[in-house]
Amino acid sequence: MLNLPTLWTVFVVNFLSVGLIWVYVARSYPKLAAARFWTASAFTGAVGALLAMSIMFAPGSLLPLLAGGTVMIFAAFLAAMGIQRFYERPVAWRLAWFVTGLTCAALLFFVKIHDSMAMRVLVYSIGQSLPFAITLKLLLAKHDGRAHPGARLAGIISCLIIAIYAIRTIGNLAGIDMSFARSSMGQGVLTLGLIFLSMAFNFGFLLMAIDRLRNEVADLALLDDLTGVGNRRQLVARLTEECARSERNGEPFALLVIDLDGFKQVNDTHGHAAGDACLQHFTLMAQTRLRPGDLLARTGGDEFCIVLPSSTLREGAMIARRVLDVCRQDAEGCTGGDIPIAVSIGVAQWTADIGAFPDRLIAAADHALYAAKKDGKNRYAAWDPSPPLVPDMLPALPERKIA
């Protein structure tokens, strides 16, 4: 049968080893703020276990267990705060301090004033279970439309830990001695269960961190390094999705193809650094004229595309006009060494003839872009597969609509 010192030693070693892993993770990925909370939780748990171990040097006194238990409750709250930080929720510092202090005071009461082992176990179990309970919803809920395996594992482990503390509480209330102050077969089994579950709990956190980092890498693969907007890969993926959706429900969407006029001259005259700044400035201006859900992507060099979901050709022309207006206003305000930005835009709308082939829609928008440049640049043109019945009805759009 495992004795008490051995069990607490295993607790300390477990927390220290987990803490060292989180130190490495926190140093390697400083943007993962949750890792710092989980590091602190592991080392705080080790301190709590060491304090509890000191009961060997003070036989008959429950103060070491009281101090160690209080510290371990706070360690559990640090783990819970790491979960909250992981999901960008407010961190509950006040709740952690309040519950930890209240639990400590209640334990002191049932040690010094009214000696009751059953009540001590009940108070400690509630204090230890509360941080696990308050994060269950976060761990078991779906995020970004899907369940995360690591979070689901941590949630299941939380339920098992709460169940163990419930078993200890019920056992003590029924007269079975399950105090951490004494060694027994039942107490040994439950303690080993808690050690195993604490390791599995942190393994769930590691899976959560790996999943987050993998998603960040996947996102970076879809972004343009210079401007931070989507790249050609993301554009093609989005166009494929929109074409498939439109083919199913018949709802149109629009595509804008944009080319910066005179960009080569900017590079040749002012240098590539000025050209890069020009591209970055354009993306900032263009994004101010887009709607939530619209996608701006850089497809290469000075070429950009904007995907406008659930939009008609006329709505696409309106967005094109807004982008042109903001560029013209910016050009009018340029002074000194500022480089004015001028753009030409081609607008096209998905039709049943395009079907599930994004390249056809891109070709149509490119055709409109060519017409805009042919008409003098710094304007837009809209592509229509069928010529208008009354061409003279188009003066509302100053730029030419082409067939």
Side-chain angles (χ1 to χ4, degrees):
M1 181 175 65
L2 293 174
N3 56 30
L4 190 65
T6 302
L7 293 173
W8 284 112
T9 301
V10 174
F11 249 127
V12 173
V13 173
N14 170 54
F15 282 124
L16 288 176
S17 59
V18 170
L20 290 175
I21 293 173
W22 282 117
V23 166
Y24 178 80
V25 173
R27 288 178 60 87
S28 300
Y29 306 99
K31 291 184 178 180
L32 186 63
R36 294 193 288 274
F37 284 92
W38 292 331
T39 302
S41 173
F43 285 119
T44 303
V47 171
L50 281 170
L51 288 172
M53 279 183 64
S54 64
I55 195 174
M56 296 182 296
F57 307 102
S61 174
L62 295 176
L63 291 180
L65 281 179
L66 187 150
T70 300
V71 173
M72 292 187 73
I73 288 173
F74 188 69
F77 269 104
L78 287 172
M81 287 189 281
I83 297 170
Q84 292 168 333
R85 189 68 183 88
F86 184 85
Y87 289 112
E88 300 179 353
R89 299 295 196 277
V91 177
W93 282 107
R94 291 183 180 179
L95 178 64
W97 288 116
F98 175 77
V99 173
T100 303
L102 185 62
T103 304
C104 182
L107 290 174
L108 273 173
F109 177 84
F110 290 114
V111 170
K112 295 295 185 181
I113 299 177
H114 179 69
D115 188 8
S116 173
M117 182 185 68
M119 291 305 298
R120 289 196 298 270
V121 172
L122 174 63
V123 169
Y124 178 75
S125 297
I126 293 174
Q128 190 69 266
S129 300
L130 187 59
F132 296 101
I134 62 177
T135 55
L136 271 179
K137 184 177 180 180
L138 277 176
L139 292 172
L140 298 179
K142 290 185 177 181
H143 299 274
D144 301 326
R146 68 185 185 92
H148 297 266
R152 184 61 57 88
L153 173 62
I156 294 172
I157 297 300
S158 295
C159 293
L160 293 175
I161 291 175
I162 293 173
I164 286 180
Y165 282 113
I167 291 171
R168 286 189 70 242
T169 301
I170 294 171
N172 275 276
L173 292 175
I176 303 173
D177 186 356
M178 304 186 74
S179 169
F180 281 130
R182 297 177 180 84
S183 297
S184 66
M185 179 62 72
Q187 180 61 31
V189 171
L190 290 180
T191 304
L192 285 176
L194 287 174
I195 294 171
F196 171 77
L197 291 176
S198 67
M199 295 179 65
F201 194 51
N202 279 275
F203 182 67
F205 294 161
L206 285 172
L207 289 178
M208 290 165 60
I210 291 171
D211 192 52
R212 169 70 59 81
L213 295 170
R214 182 181 60 190
N215 289 338
E216 288 181 358
V217 171
D219 290 341
L220 288 174
L222 298 176
L223 296 178
D224 177 60
D225 292 337
L226 177 63
T227 60
V229 300
N231 58 16
R232 187 173 186 86
R233 179 182 298 178
Q234 185 176 8
L235 173 71
V236 172
R238 181 66 177 274
L239 284 176
T240 302
E241 292 174 2
E242 293 295 337
C243 284
R245 183 180 295 110
S246 295
E247 196 171 32
R248 288 195 304 270
N249 57 30
E251 184 179 37
F253 72 96
L255 174 68
L256 275 59
V257 174
I258 305 171
D259 185 77
L260 272 61
D261 297 327
F263 183 73
K264 184 177 184 302
Q265 184 179 357
V266 172
N267 275 335
D268 294 342
T269 305
H270 302 279
H272 289 282
D276 291 346
C278 185
L279 294 172
Q280 293 169 335
H281 185 54
F282 166 73
T283 60
L284 292 175
M285 290 191 301
Q287 286 174 315
T288 64
R289 297 300 183 265
L290 300 184
R291 308 160 303 179
D294 295 343
L295 171 67
L296 173 63
R298 182 186 176 207
T299 55
D302 60 341
E303 298 173 355
F304 294 83
C305 285
I306 299 176
V307 181
L308 305 173
S310 304
S311 300
T312 63
L313 188 68
R314 181 167 292 274
E315 290 169 331
M318 290 173 59
I319 298 296
R321 184 180 297 173
R322 292 178 186 176
V323 174
L324 275 172
D325 287 344
V326 72
C327 290
R328 287 168 179 166
Q329 292 167 10
D330 185 73
E332 291 174 358
C334 288
T335 57
D338 294 341
I339 302 170
I341 296 176
V343 299
S344 296
I345 305 176
V347 187
Q349 174 190 306
W350 180 90
T351 64
D353 292 335
I354 290 173
F357 302 98
D359 54 324
R360 296 180 181 176
L361 183 60
I362 295 174
D366 276 335
H367 186 48
L369 173 65
Y370 175 78
K373 284 186 171 293
K374 187 177 180 181
D375 283 350
K377 299 184 179 181
N378 200 26
R379 64 186 63 232
Y380 75 88
W383 174 82
D384 193 336
S386 59
L389 296 177
V390 186
D392 293 336
M393 291 178 63
L394 295 176
L397 299 179
E399 285 74 13
R400 183 167 67 91
K401 192 173 185 179
I402 64 171

